[in-house]
C-alpha cells in the first residue's frame, strides 16, 4: 500500500499530558501488554482469534480488562490500513524506517486515540509506558513524539489528510482499511451475487466494509438432541453472562457478553461457538429433499463432510445425523485437524451409541473420494478451503495476508474437491458447496466450471432450503440459485453455498 503524502508542519497546539515525565508509568498495563503480545504473535504468523484467548488467560484478564484488550487488539489489526499512513505522517518518515515492534506499539496507540474513547493523555502516557517496557527507552521517546502529533488532530482531520479522494476503491481502501484488491473484489461480488445494482453498489460496498470493521456478535450453536436453545440460554445465564435465541436461526444463540469457555455445555461439546451463517449451511443441506430411496441398507442415509476440520459444521451435522438416524463420515486430510474433529464430535459420537446412527472420523484426501467410494453418500458437504474474505471481521489479520495469488491455488483445489466429491454422490443425492468468501472466483465460477464436466448434476435453488431452516430472511437471499449471506445484511459471516443434486 502506498503512503499518502501530506504537510504536517502546521499543527494546532494542544495541551500536552498533565503527567510529568518522572511520574509516568515505567511499564504498560496488563491489557495493553496483552494486546501488544498478540500483535507480535500475529506478525510472526499467528492468528489473533487463537492467540488472544490464551493471552487473556495467561494474564488473568476478565471483564472490562479483557474487553479492552480485545477491542485494542482487533481494532489495531483491522484498521492499520488507516493507522499506518497516519503514523508515517506523524513520524515524518516512511514505515520502512520504523522498527516493526515499535510500529505495533504505535498502532495500539493510534487506535486508542482515533478509534476508542480513551482520553488523549491516558492513551499517550500508557502507550509510552508500554514502549518503554517492550521497545526500550530510546523508542519510547519516538513513540511519545508520534503520539503527541497524532493527538493534535481528530479522526476526521486525519482522514482528510491521508485518504485519497479518488478513485473510489483507493479511497475506501484507506478509509475502511482493506487492501484495494479486496475492495474491488467485494464490489464485484455484491453485483455478481445480486445484492447490489450498478446504482447502489458503492453505498452497499461502504456498508459491507464498515461491517467488516465492526466487532461481530458472538454466536453459539445448540446442537440438536444434545442441548436445546432454551437450555443453552439458561446455561449461559448461569455463568452471569447474558444470551438470547437468535432471531432468524433456530439453532443459534447470541452471546451478549461473557466467556464461552465458562459454559459447561460448550466444554462438554453439546454446544459450541459457531457463526449463525455456518449453522444455516449445515441445516439447509439436511433439510433439502433428496429423490429416490436412501442409499444405505434399510434406507438409512449416509452423509459425508468432506473437509471437516476443525469440526464446527461437522459437529452440527453429527447431531442432526443422530436425530435423523443417518450415518456421518467426517473426513479431514490433515491428521492433527482430524484429531480436533474427533474432539468436537465426541458428544455426538457418544449420543450415537444408543441410536441407529454411526459417526466416524477419517483421514484422507477428499479429492479421491469419488473414485474410492462411488455413489456412496446421500448428502455431502464440501466446505472448501478459501480466502476467508467473508470472515474478515473475525480474522483481522487475514485481509493483510491474503493476496490475489492465493485465488489461483485455492481455485484449483476448490474445483478438484468439488469434482472429486460429485461421483461419491448417490443418484438423487444432495451436495452443498460452501465457502466463507463471496469472491466470484471461489463461488459461482467454481460451480459453473465443475458443472460443465458433470452433466448428470444440476444446481437447485438453495433459497428454499434456507427459508425452511431460518425465519425472516426470505426477502434477503438474492436472486438464487446460490445463496450468499452478508455481514451488513444478515449479521453473519459472508457464507456462500450452492446446492447440487445428482440426477442419475
Amino acid at each position: 500500500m502506498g503512503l499518502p503524502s501530506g504537510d504536517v508542519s502546521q499543527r494546532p497546539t494542544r495541551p500536552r499530558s498533565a503527567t510529568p515525565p518522572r511520574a509516568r508509568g515505567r511499564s504498560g498495563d496488563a491489557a495493553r501488554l496483552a494486546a501488544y503480545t498478540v500483535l507480535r504473535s500475529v506478525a510472526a504468523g499467528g492468528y489473533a482469534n487463537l492467540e488472544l484467548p490464551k493471552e487473556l488467560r495467561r494474564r488473568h484478564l476478565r471483564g472490562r480488562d479483557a474487553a479492552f484488550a480485545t477491542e485494542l487488539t482487533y481494532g489495531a489489526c483491522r484498521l492499520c490500513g488507516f493507522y499506518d499512513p497516519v503514523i508515517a505522517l506523524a513520524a515524518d518518515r516512511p514505515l520502512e524506517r520504523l522498527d516493526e515492534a515499535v510500529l505495533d506499539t504505535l498502532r495500539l496507540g493510534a487506535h486508542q486515540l482515533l478509534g476508542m474513547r480513551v482520553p488523549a493523555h491516558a492513551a499517550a502516557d500508557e502507550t509510552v509506558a508500554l514502549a518503554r517496557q517492550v521497545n526500550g527507552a530510546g523508542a519510547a521517546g519516538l513513540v511519545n513524539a508520534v503520539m503527541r502529533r497524532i493527538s493534535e488532530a481528530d479522526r476526521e482531520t486525519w482522514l482528510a489528510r491521508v485518504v485519497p479522494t479518488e478513485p473510489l476503491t483507493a479511497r475506501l481502501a484507506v478509509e475502511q482499511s482493506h487492501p484495494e484488491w479486496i475492495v474491488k473484489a467485494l464490489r464485484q461480488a455484491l453485483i455478481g451475487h445480486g445484492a447490489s445494482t450498478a446504482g447502489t453498489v458503492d453505498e452497499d460496498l461502504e456498508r459491507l466494509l464498515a461491517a467488516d470493521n465492526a466487532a461481530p456478535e458472538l454466536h453459539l450453536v445448540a446442537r440438536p438432541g444434545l442441548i436445546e436453545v432454551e437450555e443453552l440460554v439458561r446455561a449461559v445465564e448461569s455463568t452471569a453472562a447474558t444470551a438470547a435465541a437468535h432471531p432468524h436461526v433456530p439453532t443459534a444463540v447470541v452471546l451478549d457478553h461473557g466467556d464461552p469457555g465458562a459454559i459447561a455445555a460448550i466444554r462438554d461439546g453439546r454446544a459450541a461457538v459457531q457463526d449463525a451463517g455456518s449453522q444455516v449451511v449445515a441445516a439447509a443441506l439436511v433439510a433439502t429433499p433428496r429423490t429416490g430411496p436412501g442409499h444405505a441398507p434399510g434406507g438409512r442415509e449416509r452423509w459425508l463432510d468432506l473437509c471437516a476440520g476443525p469440526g464446527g459444521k461437522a459437529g452440527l451435522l453429527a447431531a442432526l445425523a443422530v436425530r435423523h438416524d443417518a450415518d456421518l463420515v467426517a473426513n479431514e486430510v490433515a491428521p492433527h485437524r482430524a484429531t480436533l474433529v474427533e474432539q468436537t464430535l465426541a458428544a455426538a459420537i457418544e449420543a450415537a451409541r444408543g441410536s441407529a446412527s454411526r459417526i466416524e472420523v477419517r483421514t484422507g484426501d477428499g479429492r479421491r473420494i469419488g473414485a474410492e467410494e462411488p455413489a456412496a453418500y446421500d448428502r455431502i458437504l464440501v466446505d472448501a478451503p478459501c480466502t476467508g474474505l467473508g470472515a474478515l471481521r473475525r480474522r483481522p489479520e487475514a485481509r493483510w495476508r491474503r493476496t490475489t495469488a492465493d485465488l489461483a491455488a485455492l481455485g484449483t483445489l476448490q474445483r478438484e474437491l468439488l469434482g472429486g466429491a460429485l461421483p461419491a454422490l448417490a443418484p438423487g443425492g444432495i451436495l452443498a458447496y460452501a465457502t466463507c468468501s463471496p469472491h466470484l472466483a471461489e463461488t459461482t465460477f467454481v460451480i459453473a466450471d465443475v458443472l460443465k464436466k458433470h452433466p448428470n448434476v444440476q444446481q437447485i435453488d438453495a433459497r428454499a432450503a434456507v427459508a425452511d431452516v431460518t425465519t425472516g430472511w426470505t426477502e434477503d437471499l438474492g436472486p438464487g440459485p446460490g445463496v450468499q449471506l452478508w455481514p451488513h445484511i444478515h449479521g453473519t459471516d459472508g457464507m456462500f453455498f450452492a446446492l447440487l443434486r445428482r440426477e442419475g
Side-chain angles (χ1 to χ4, degrees), residues 285 380-382 418 421-422 425 429-433 498-501:
L285 170 61
I380 299 176
L381 172 62
V382 180
L418 180 55
L422 285 173
L425 197 61
I430 305 296
L431 182 147
Y433 172 81
L499 292 175
L500 309 179
R501 175 183 283 131

Side-chain angles (χ1 to χ4, degrees), residues 3 26 30 51 85 97 105 121 141 143 251 269 288 300 302 306 311 313 339 351 368 399 461 477 486:
L3 295 178
R26 305 294 298 180
E51 297 296 332
R97 290 179 54 196
T105 301
H121 66 86
V143 169
T251 54
T288 303
R300 190 166 70 250
R302 296 187 71 212
L306 189 69
K313 295 182 184 69
T339 299
R368 294 199 288 264
R399 69 184 73 181
D461 197 332
L477 299 177
W486 299 98

Side-chain angles (χ1 to χ4, degrees), residues 47-352:
Y47 297 89
N49 67 320
L50 300 180
E51 297 296 332
L52 181 60
K54 292 189 293 187
E55 193 63 24
L56 296 179
R57 288 193 295 270
R58 187 169 78 87
R59 299 186 184 277
H60 307 289
L61 294 174
R62 300 181 180 85
R64 282 186 169 185
D65 289 338
F68 183 89
T70 300
E71 168 56 28
L72 190 53
T73 302
Y74 277 71
C77 195
R78 287 189 189 109
L79 300 177
C80 64
F82 165 48
Y83 295 146
D84 282 2
V86 170
I87 291 167
L89 205 55
D92 197 22
R93 67 187 70 183
L95 294 182
E96 292 78 11
R97 290 179 54 196
L98 289 173
D99 179 81
E100 290 183 359
V102 174
L103 180 57
D104 274 343
T105 301
L106 287 169
R107 286 167 174 161
L108 295 171
H111 187 55
Q112 292 170 69
L113 289 173
L114 304 179
M116 300 176 71
R117 291 188 296 242
V118 179
H121 66 86
D125 288 352
E126 293 294 342
T127 303
V128 171
L130 175 65
R132 186 176 291 113
Q133 179 180 1
V134 299
N135 306 129
L142 171 65
V143 169
N144 181 50
V146 174
M147 288 293 291
R148 177 171 56 82
R149 289 169 185 167
I150 295 176
S151 71
E152 290 171 353
D154 60 16
R155 179 184 179 86
E156 295 306 314
T157 301
W158 279 113
L159 283 169
R161 289 176 180 174
V162 303
V163 174
T165 57
E166 57 182 32
L168 174 71
T169 53
R171 172 174 70 81
L172 292 177
V174 179
E175 186 177 278
Q176 297 292 345
S177 192
H178 286 64
E180 190 171 1
W181 77 268
I182 292 181
V183 176
K184 292 178 179 178
L186 292 177
R187 189 179 191 277
Q188 293 168 349
L190 285 165
I191 295 175
H193 290 298
S196 295
T197 64
T200 66
V201 65
D202 293 342
E203 179 181 344
D204 292 334
L205 178 60
E206 291 201 48
R207 290 176 56 216
L208 172 56
L209 296 175
D212 277 350
N213 290 333
E217 290 181 334
L218 184 61
H219 297 161
L220 311 179
V221 58
R223 291 170 172 164
L226 303 180
I227 189 171
E228 301 307 316
V229 164
E230 296 78 8
E231 185 182 354
L232 179 55
V233 170
R234 291 194 298 271
V236 171
E237 291 175 345
S238 70
T239 68
T242 56
H246 193 282
H248 303 292
V249 180
T251 54
V253 167
V254 181
L255 182 64
D256 184 53
H257 73 275
D259 177 13
I263 302 168
I266 290 180
R267 293 197 303 270
D268 64 26
R270 292 176 296 141
V273 175
Q274 185 176 38
D275 182 74
S278 293
Q279 298 178 44
V280 169
V281 170
L285 170 61
V286 174
T288 303
R290 58 155 294 154
T291 58
H295 178 84
R300 190 166 70 250
E301 290 191 353
R302 296 187 71 212
W303 302 353
L304 170 67
D305 186 345
L306 189 69
C307 311
K313 295 182 184 69
L316 179 53
L317 283 174
L320 291 170
V322 175
R323 172 167 285 187
H324 289 269
D325 288 330
D327 296 336
L328 172 69
V329 173
N331 179 78
E332 172 54 44
V333 67
H336 71 282
R337 286 169 63 87
T339 299
L340 294 176
V341 176
E342 288 180 344
Q343 294 169 353
T344 301
L345 269 58
I349 291 173
E350 181 62 30

Side-chain angles (χ1 to χ4, degrees), residues 396-484:
E397 69 285 328
R399 69 184 73 181
W400 310 119
R401 289 182 179 170
R402 288 298 189 186
T403 69
T404 54
D406 295 322
L407 290 169
L410 286 167
T412 298
L413 178 59
Q414 290 155 359
R415 287 165 174 79
E416 289 175 347
L417 287 167
L418 180 55
L422 285 173
L425 197 61
I430 305 296
L431 182 147
Y433 172 81
T435 63
C436 192
S437 170
H439 200 298
L440 297 178
E442 302 185 89
T443 56
T444 56
F445 294 172
V446 172
I447 297 296
D449 288 348
V450 173
L451 287 183
K452 291 176 184 176
K453 301 178 181 179
H454 295 271
N456 63 333
V457 176
Q458 301 295 321
Q459 185 172 5
I460 60 178
D461 197 332
R463 294 175 299 174
V466 174
D468 284 344
V469 300
T470 63
T471 303
W473 276 353
T474 306
E475 303 300 322
D476 298 322
L477 299 177
V483 167
Q484 177 66 58

